[in-house]
Structures are given as structure tokens and as C-alpha cells.
Amino acid sequence: MLQKQEKVLLLRTFRGRTLRIVREHYLRACVPCHSPLCARPAACSHDGKLLSSDLTHYVIPDWKVVQDYLEIFEFPELKGIIFMQTACQAVQHQRGRRQYNKLRSLLRDARHDCILFANEFQELCYLPRERGEALEKWQTRSIYKAAVWYYHHCGDRVPIVMVTEDAEAIQKYGSETQGVFVISFKDYLDNFWPDLKAAHELCESILQSRRERESESQESHGREYSEHLPLEVLEAGIKSGRYVQGTLNVNKHRAQTEAFVRLQGASSKDSGLTSDILIHGTKARNRAIHGDVVVVELLPKGEWKGRTGALCDNDSEDKTSSEAPSEPMPTGRVVGILQKNWRDYVVTFPSKEEVQSQGRNPQKILVTPWDYRIPKIRISTQQAETLQDFRVIVRIDSWESTSVYPNGHFVCVLGRIGDLEGEIATILVENSISVVPFSEAQLCEMPVNTPEKPWKVSPEEERKRRDLRRTHLVFSIDPKGCEDVDDALSVRTLNNGNLELGVHIADVTHFVALNSYTDVEARTRATTYYLADRRYDMLPSVLSADLCSLLGGVDRYAVSVTWELDKASYEIKKVWYGRTIIRSAYKLFYEAAQELLHGNFGIADEIPEFKNSDEKGRQARLEELAWAIGKLTDIARHVRARRNRCGALELEGVEIRVQLDDKKNIHDLIPKQPLEVHETVAECMILANHWVARKIWESFPHQALLRQHPPPHQEFFAELRECARAKGFCIDTRSNKTLADSLDKAEDPSDPIVNQLLRSMATQAMSNALYFSTGSCTEKEFHHYGLALDKYTHFTSPIRRYSDIVVHRLLMAAISKDKKMEIKENLLSNKDLEELCRHINNRNRAAQHSQKQSTELFQCMYFKDKDPDTEERCISDGVIYSIRTNGVLVFIPRFGIKGAAYLKNKDGLVMCCGPDSRLEWKPGSLQRFQDKITSTTTGGESLTLHLFDHVTVRISVQASRCHADTIGLEIISSKPYRVQSSELSHLSPLVLKSELVRDVTRCAEEAQLAQEGQVDGIREEYQEYRQTKGRSLYVLLEEIRDLALLDVSGDYGI
Amino acid sequence: MAGLELLSDQGYRVDGRRAGELRKIQARMGVFAQADGSAYIEQGNTKALAVVYGPHEIRGSRSRALPDRALVNCQYSSATFSTGERKRRPHGDRKSCEMGLQLRQTFEAAILTQLHPRSQIDIYVQVLQADGGTYAACVNAATLAVLDAGIPMRDFVCACSAGFVDGTALADLSHVEEAAGGPQLALALLPASGQIALLEMDARLHEDHLECVLEAAAQAARDVHTLLDRVVRQHVHEASILLGD
């Protein structure tokens, strides 16, 4: 009774191959026609709904008409509609599930006079598709044939109107069969339903929007985005150079329009592209999300666009479009995504009013991610109202080409908007930092050190390790009150008159075995996270603050590097690496060490080790210690000089100096220069790192973990050179040496901030220092540009960096290799190490970002409660450090804030100078020059701001519901701000910063207190979470050096 | 593109059948002269060839001989060109071995093995084109081949698969329906007695639905039996004409 047919389909597989598939297709004689006029109702066996019997005609829409005008067929006035199966399938395949479901519910609706006729299963209606016939043509042909059959089936009693948009079909079939009319949809409405106003209007608007869509994108078949190409095609395209591969970076300040693709690996060499590729608009971005690895096709040169130079917020999108963009740069569009980088996103639900305006489906809600660079996400939830005031985590599930926004789902709630803990949690999640407390299993692995059961050096270890407890004078220098001492120093004279310098680092790997729970946890954390008011340790505190901390007067395991130096020239004669046992004699702080260096022994009273000792022995011991510090400083000076000769940059140090002191008038409180001891300690650490790097590289040339700092691109220095020229300096950026020299010379005696800003610009132009595995780079690439060393690694802080732990293991393996012993632990292969390096680099970046974001959060919370118009603290002195088309970028030294200040506001008014140098908004125009910006009002007044001008700015907070609050700056006077209060000016910025943190923490705490009324519990919490006040300055130096190498705040509007 | 709709609102499956309808079955017995019995079957686009040798003496190690019944040896293979993408190994892979075991279980239940102690019956099945329901096609082909060889059986063994989509049981799944990933059940039935020779399902299905799926498969197997019976009668008729009865 069934008739078997075979359909041959040519499908494309996911890998891009064509596949010939044969599918069966069964035809039958009786397909229900759902018409009351049916000639053989018994055979047709109607069940379900029938068309009404009092119709003047039946209408059969073409597939195209069903796709485009389905909404019009929803009018109940239109009756006797027969949807052909062919048309329905066309909707299903080409218009997606949503429209198909609409059609289905229409068909199911008993009130609506329409039916589906399964023409493709009717033996007389079915038409096989001919070879080479276009799908559209075949669909029209099938529908026409079915219409004719239907007409005859109903005994030629009811005329049938087939509506189609295909002019050719009208031409061809128009007069083929009597009783079956083929006309266009417009004609149909005009002739049969001239009175149905609403339908005509709808038809118009559909036509309109379709025209718009077509003009927008001719090739995309009604989809929002074009399909991604299959992987095989992409790979072949990359190989042949037709496509380029890179990581997508969305511009934070113009997330809607601008994104850049940073080229990766080989593709950049072949294509000869030097700059990034611009991806303009979301259409060209084609569903890629910030961070994805994408494949890009370059557009022809004629369609290249330039980046916008003006400052803008994300809120005012089209504002800048009228302005002339800069020079065109390579522009492309995304054709495929190789690797999706979807993570958890923190989002905010729209407020009540917005929900209502969003419309029809209350369960589908568009939520706004905290990160500007992430598009809005559509999620379906019933709890939209209850979650309104919370920060919430969502995940993206999919992003179909038919959807404007990605689909996601709700995961969990983080905390209230504006609440300190909630916002901190947001920052952590956004940086993918997970800091759950250490688990039982991890803590069980830890050695015990309690008063009842004190930890002791085991005799077995004593035999294996070199004992330095009696032979060496070991001491540590750290800031006051520091708990985690991971480095100690020693220096002594050998019998042959040479000197022996030693750097002793806490032996963390002794306690943390490879692949133990603690190790795995430390590896995922990769670093200790320092936020503005708290820190999250990489290792449990029993290690970081106790057993691995080289405290004074107790035995500790260490990994030591000692150098034998020539007594006169300080030439390095011999190096020794190994595991040792040390007992630090003194735990000094920087100031004390500095005093001892100057021969001022009065400070000794403040050193606990000297407190209760008799006068005689004390003098001798003090002298011994002072000699050691002096010798150490001497050596460090020497080593530094050697490094400087190779062109080591002093960017970071200066950056710190600025952070520490920029108030010229407070000599007595904060010294202008940091203590020399700081540099001494830092230099010893760099020396140790360098020698360890050499050692592990020699032993394992293909699998050593080193740290590289690639030389910067010259073109990034362009801005720095321009700015320096404006001030009359010449910056030579050809090598690190010339750069360092010319930066030293570019000192404006009247304004130290100029030099500081130039240095920060230079830092910004540089690339980041990165960990890498030696097996995956050539030896030339090992170079550390900033330190001017051929090999460098991190070895000296295993307590707070995982890379150091890896280096420790490598060093231990290298030592056993020298002794021809078997290497116990399995070393990571080059590939695994490379993977690990990528992870650590990634985590470091997250650590820096989170630190910066938390600082910004605190700044904002600090200024939030202050009324910018009245509060004196909100007005401050600022320096212009960059000029943009509609504003300037300002640096506020007092708070360390960088931000944008507009000279032209959203109404098109410009700043101009009023009486008593106050500024006001007036209509006018702006003109931008290389080193200055001039606003001219229509009244003829003008105001010119130069680069490095000091201005008075008002700091306010721009609150934002969905995103982080930002600091807004407004120039209120073109004169420098005079500091009136002498009391304020006495505070150094660092002090101010920590004060700020304390202030905000206290506020948050008080709010909590008021809420809960549990005083004691919170006190404890406060104690627990508060930052340990003194971190070693070396730690700070290192951190800010890293931070300085990646200063993201500077890229306003770039 | 929206996912494939396996069962439309109008009750049609992708290929135009209704829920309980079988694909077109065509079969022929006695396709090879050399073998003791052979058969070829097409179920839709699934095509299988079965060959039977035996009962004969145990080949290879005599220790395998069973004292009280015949040894049924089944081998399944599927041609490299049988699937959309060319296969690497025609036989000997995990799936083939499993299929061979299932066939063996099925036919040990159907053949009256105790009539031929210490002997062996070989059943070789090859799938020429796989378009869903390979197990069923193999069992049906092998049944015809065993009949052709004249080996006494309790009854026909008729097999059919069934699936479950949107609350409806679908009989005789095609490849498209199998690939959609719903539950699938394979049933080998002795139709006269209604005894089950083999029942297999390796997906999750709610207990409440099992009965209706099982019933759909059983009904389909009975339908297959009608068809196979017709084929056998036709074959016997032709053979008797040739013999000049």
C-alpha cells in the first residue's frame, strides 16, 4: 500500500566533506485533505479539523510567503488556508524553531481556519527534485503541483489561489490550470481583502523591515549572523594564508563596535601584518566573545576602517560616529571560532521598568554582564524580580546564528549590588579566581607545629643538608611586622680572603610534594592574590607564616645559592646550589638595616634580638652585622652597575618611588629616595634568580621554566616620543640602554611628575614579562629586556608564587643530576611545562587585574559618600598626560587615579575659561593638536590645555547598576590646585591609600554591624581578613613591577 | 537549523511512514548454490545477506563439541561500504562480535539443536547496507537461510526494532531515527508462541512506556512474520515447480 521512493541527499558533514545519503521516502495514496468537499472522505479518513465549507476559495501560500508573511496569516479573517508540507519544512529549516513553533500552534488552533496538507507523502503530489534543480524552484513546483491536485481532489468545485512572491512562477503557472490562480501576495490582499486595513499595514511594515535587512546584509539568509565555517576549511585557510588566526580583544570603551584581533604564532609572520586587525561592529564579530580564539578573513582594502580616537562612555554609542576616524587599519570579519573562551559571567538583572519594556515573554530576560566587553545574555528564569538587586553568575550555553544575543542560564547569586563582599566576590569571579578555604585533606598533609608538639629538624634531613647554622651569619631584611619571610641573606669572608655571598630561600618543596593535594591546589591558584584589603594565600598559613618563613632564632630548611666572590673585584668565582639548614640570626627591618649601614648603632634597641644581651657582646655583634650589611651593599652596587652597563631599565623602581613619595615638601617624613637597602636586597634576589635560571637551563635545556621580557615594538613608543618632544625632551627608544639613559635625562626640575608620567608611558608601551618553557623558544628569545639579563627566572618567593616552586624542583633535579643521582621526581615535559606556564601567566594577569579592580572599587566606595561639590577631598590637582579629540586624560598623583575628563559634553557644549579661571560649559568647538587642545566658544573665548599642564579636577563617582562604578573627573579650573590644608599634604599617597582602604572597610563593617549586631564575630572576621600590614618591600616591588608592565588603566578610548 | 522532527503533528515520520508502519521488506531465499542455505533481505535500505552451513562435523578443535546438542556458530560482518562514511574494519571489531553473540543466542533458542548432537551449524551474516535496524535484518535473513538449509526450528524467528518519540512508539527505526538518540529496543520473537528469543535495549526508558514500545515491536515482528511466511511459501512453490511436482 505504500510506495517506496528513494531520495538522494548530499549533506555536508561537520568536517566539511560532502556525504551522499540515500533516504527512503514513502508515498501513500491517501493523505488526509481536511476538506469537507473531499470526493472520497472514507479513504481520506479525516480526523481533526476541517476547513469550513462555506468558502469562496482556498489559498495556498508559497514557501517564501509562509516564511515572510506568517504573521498576516494569523489574522482570523483570513480563512481557508492550506499550508503545504513543503512550505512548512522550508520554514522549519530556514527560519528556525521559533517561527516553526508559531506555525504549529496556528495549525493546532481549532479556531483558525487553516490546515496542513502533507503533499510530499501523497503519491500523486510528490515530485522528486531533479538533478541540479534549485531548492527554491523545486519547492515552488511541488506546491503548485499539490495545489492542482487538491483542486481536482475537491471535484473542481472551489477555486484555489496560490500566492507566491516569485514573479517567474506567476508567469509560468499563472494560466496553466483553470481554477488554480497564481498571484503575488500583494495582489491577493488587494483583490480579496481590500478592507482588511490591519493586514495591509502589517504587510507594509514586514516589507519595510525586510528591505532594511536585505540592504544591511545581502548574503546572510535572514540570519542575524553568518554561519561559522567548518574546522577543516578554517585550518586549510590558515595554512594557505587566506585567513588569520588570533585572539579577540574587545575594546572596553566601545564594546559595541570595536574589537581587535591580536595575531598569534605563525600567521602574523606570513601575512606580513604588523598591527592588530580591527573587527568593526557585532555583525563582523560574528558571535565571538572577548577572549575567543578566532579565525579572521581580511576585508578588501576599500572597506578598511580606522579606530576612533575620541573619548566615550559605553552608554553613548553613536555619539562618536560623526567624527572622522583615524587612519584606516586592516579590518576583517570573523569566519570561525577555533576555541571558545566562555567562563562564568557576573551579570545584573534589568530593573523592574526595564523588564516590562523588554516585553512579550516574561521568562526570557536579557541580563547585562558586569564586564562591558561581554554582550548581553538571554536567560530564562522565573526569579527575575527577586534577583534584581543581586549580582548573579550565569553561563552562556549557546549562540545560534539566528539569535542576536547568546543564550545562557542562571547559576548562583553572589551578593547584593554595592555591598563590599558582593563586589569583591564579583571581582574574583570575573577574574576566574576561586579561593575556597583549604580543605581538611590538604591541611592533613601539613606538618604540625604547636606549642605542645613543636616542629623539629629531623636527623635524617640533618644528614642530607648542609648545615649553615654555626658557620654562617644569616639574617633577613623585610618591612616591619612581616610574617612570611621567604628570603634571607648571608655574607662572610672565606679562609682564602674571598667573600662568600649567600641567598637562602625557604624550602617549600620539602613540605609540598609534587601532586599532593596542597600542590594541586597551589598550582590552580598559581599565586597569592593581593586585593586592596585582603589577601588569598597560595599555601596554607602553617607553611606561609610559620614553617616556611625564615624567622629569626629558629631552625629552618632552606634552598641556598652561594657565590664565592673575588675580594677586590667581586668577580664571581664559584657558585654552589643546594639544600641547607639555616638559623636566621636577625630579622631586621629596612629602616634598622639602613641605620646600621650608616654606622648608627642606636637603632639596635629596636631589634628584638639585641634587647637582652650584655653590653660587651652586643657591640661586637653589632659591628659584625654592620660589616655584613655594608659588604652586601657594596656587592649589590657592583652587580647593579654591571647590569646597568648592559642597559637595565629603571622604570619600575621609579614607579615605586613615585608611589612612595611625590610630595616634595615632606622630606622629614618620607625620604625622597627609597633606602638603599631596598635595592640591595632586590639586587641579591635578581642575582639569585639569574644564576638559578642559568643552572636549570644548563641542566635541562628543553624543559626549564624561565621568565622572558620580550623587547617592545618600536611603534608603541610613538606616543611617548611625541609627548616628550612637547616638553622638549628627546627619547631614544632604539635599545633598552638608550631608553634608560634618555629617560634619566628627561627630568623637569620644576615638575617631577613629568618624568614619572613619561616613565609610565614607556612602561605601557612594553610587553609583559612572561614565564615560558625553554624548549619552545630559541635561546635569543630568553632575554629579559627590563633587567637586561640573558636568562632570568623566579626563584626567590616560593611561598607566594607557584612558578618558584617549579623552579625549586627543577633546581633540585639539576643538583641530583650533577651528583649522578637518579632524579626522583618526574619533571614536566616541555609541552606540559608550556601548558603550566600559560596557566601561571594567565593567573598572574588575573591577580593583577583583580588587584587593580579592587583598588578601583575602594576608590569608588571612598568617594561615593562624599559630595563632590562640597567635600574638600574631592578636589585635587591633576596632570594632563594625553590629549584626545574630545577631552584629555588626567593623572591625579595624590590618589594615583588615572581618568578621562571631557572638554566637550554630550550636548555639544565645550569648556571655556570663565572669570577667576573657573571653567564653564558653553557652545563652541574643539581643536586638537599634537600637544595641546583648544576650545573656542562662539563668543570668541578660548581655552588651551597643554600636555603636562596641571589642572584642578573634581572627582566624582559615576554610579552604574550593572557594571563597576567608575571615577569621573571634571576639570574645574585650568590652574593647579593649591593645597590649603597643610595637614593633608603631609600624608604620602601610600599612607593615604591604605587609609582609604581602612576607611572603606570600616564603613562596610559598620553597615554589617548595624545589620547583624554581632560585634564580636565581626571583629574576629576583621582580624582574619585584614591584610597583613607589612609585606616585604621586595614583594611589593615585584608586584608593582608586574603591574607596571601591564597598566590597563591607560587605554582610555584607544 | 532546527532539529529534525521525528514525528510530525500529523503523525508522519521523517520518511513518510506512520508510527506503526514497517519499511518495505523484500526477501529471497536460496541465493547461493554452494551453501546449504542462504537468503537475502532488504528492509528499507538495510540490506543483509545470510549463509548457513551445516549441520556438519565440528571444525577445528573437537573439544568444542557439545555432547547433547549442536553448536551454533554465528559470524556477523558489515561491508566497508555499508555506512555513509567508509568503515575501516569489516569484521572483528567490538560491535561485530557483540552482534555475533546476540545472533547466536537468538538462534540457539530457535533451532532444535538437540537433534544434532556433536555437530556444528554455521551462520554467516553480512550487512551490505546499514540504514537502521541491522540486528533485525540479520535475524530475519538468517531465519530464511536456516529454513532454506532445512534445519529444524521451533518457529520462525522474526525481529524488529522499536523506538519511542514524543509519547509514541515507533516501529522499525530507520537510520535517521536511530541517530536522533532516543531509546531503541530490539526484539526477536517466535511469533506462533509469542515467546521472546532476545530482547535488548541499552537506553533509558521509563518503565511505564516499556509495555507500549514492546507491544509495538512485537506487532511489527508479527507483521514481519507474515511477510517472511509469504516469501517462504513462494520459494517452496517455485522449487516444487522446478522439481516437477
Side-chain angles (χ1 to χ4, degrees), chain A residues 911-926:
Chain A
M911 269 255 156
C912 81
C913 202
D916 68 312
S917 78
R918 289 264 146 195
L919 298 183
E920 36 196 54
W921 296 105
K922 279 189 184 165
S925 65
L926 275 182

Side-chain angles (χ1 to χ4, degrees), chain A residues 5-276:
Chain A
Q5 286 268 337
E6 286 191 345
K7 259 200 308 196
V8 178
L9 299 172
L10 289 171
L11 293 184
R12 190 176 282 164
T13 63
F14 285 112
R15 294 210 202 115
R17 286 171 48 194
T18 41
L19 198 62
R20 187 174 179 275
I21 282 181
V22 184
R23 274 193 198 156
E24 289 170 276
H25 191 84
Y26 288 94
L27 302 179
R28 56 187 73 230
C30 303
V31 171
C33 64
H34 301 291
S35 167
L37 303 172
C38 180
R40 289 168 298 157
C44 274
S45 68
H46 300 121
D47 48 349
K49 71 180 182 182
L50 284 182
L51 290 172
S52 9
S53 48
D54 54 346
L55 291 172
T56 56
H57 68 280
Y58 291 146
V59 55
I60 298 180
D62 184 13
W63 58 277
K64 184 82 184 140
V65 175
V66 178
Q67 282 184 0
D68 291 343
Y69 301 104
L70 184 62
E71 285 162 273
I72 298 177
F73 288 109
E74 285 171 357
F75 279 99
E77 284 87 352
L78 265 64
K79 290 182 174 194
I81 308 161
I82 303 167
F83 291 111
M84 289 297 170
Q85 183 195 12
T86 312
C88 293
Q89 272 171 1
V91 170
Q92 186 189 2
H93 291 305
Q94 285 155 36
R95 277 289 190 269
R97 167 94 41 203
R98 220 175 79 217
Q99 195 168 358
Y100 182 62
N101 282 344
K102 246 170 153 181
L103 178 59
R104 269 174 64 178
S105 61
L106 198 66
L107 286 166
R108 249 184 258 135
D109 190 349
R111 291 162 300 178
H112 213 277
D113 203 27
C114 65
I115 54 127
L116 182 131
F117 178 64
N119 64 320
E120 285 186 33
F121 298 142
Q122 218 291 335
E123 57 185 7
L124 296 171
C125 292
Y126 175 70
L127 278 173
R129 189 169 154 195
E130 276 162 22
R131 262 186 104 81
E133 191 180 21
L135 181 67
E136 290 79 13
K137 287 271 170 264
W138 170 75
Q139 285 170 338
T140 314
R141 197 158 65 97
S142 297
I143 292 171
Y144 181 73
K145 173 140 193 215
V148 173
W149 179 87
Y150 204 92
Y151 176 67
H152 294 310
H153 180 74
C154 294
D156 301 356
R157 275 178 288 176
V158 183
I160 282 183
V161 182
M162 172 172 159
V163 286
T164 178
E165 290 293 278
D166 187 356
E168 213 174 294
I170 299 174
Q171 187 84 32
K172 190 171 164 195
Y173 304 119
S175 49
E176 200 176 272
T177 321
Q178 213 182 9
V180 180
F181 306 95
V182 183
I183 56 174
S184 79
F185 190 65
K186 193 96 189 60
D187 287 345
Y188 173 72
L189 278 184
D190 287 344
N191 293 331
F192 289 85
W193 306 98
D195 310 325
L196 199 56
K197 204 85 181 173
H200 282 277
E201 278 166 12
L202 188 57
C203 178
E204 270 310 305
S205 79
I206 290 172
L207 268 176
Q208 179 69 29
S209 72
R210 198 179 57 175
R211 247 177 262 132
E212 271 167 24
R213 226 181 306 140
E214 269 166 11
S215 63
E216 220 171 74
S217 63
Q218 267 142 1
E219 70 272 49
S220 65
H221 304 285
R223 300 174 186 284
E224 299 295 339
Y225 304 98
S226 49
E227 286 295 340
H228 292 149
L229 297 178
L231 194 62
E232 264 188 357
V233 180
L234 293 179
E235 276 168 358
I238 293 165
K239 236 177 232 170
S240 67
R242 203 149 68 87
Y243 302 140
V244 260
Q245 177 186 344
T247 317
L248 187 83
N249 252 311
V250 177
N251 184 343
K252 202 187 336 178
H253 305 281
R254 260 180 290 280
Q256 297 292 327
T257 53
E258 274 186 15
F260 299 95
V261 171
R262 183 143 296 170
L263 302 178
Q264 259 181 0
S267 57
S268 58
K269 281 175 210 146
D270 303 339
S271 55
L273 288 167
T274 47
S275 66
D276 295 350

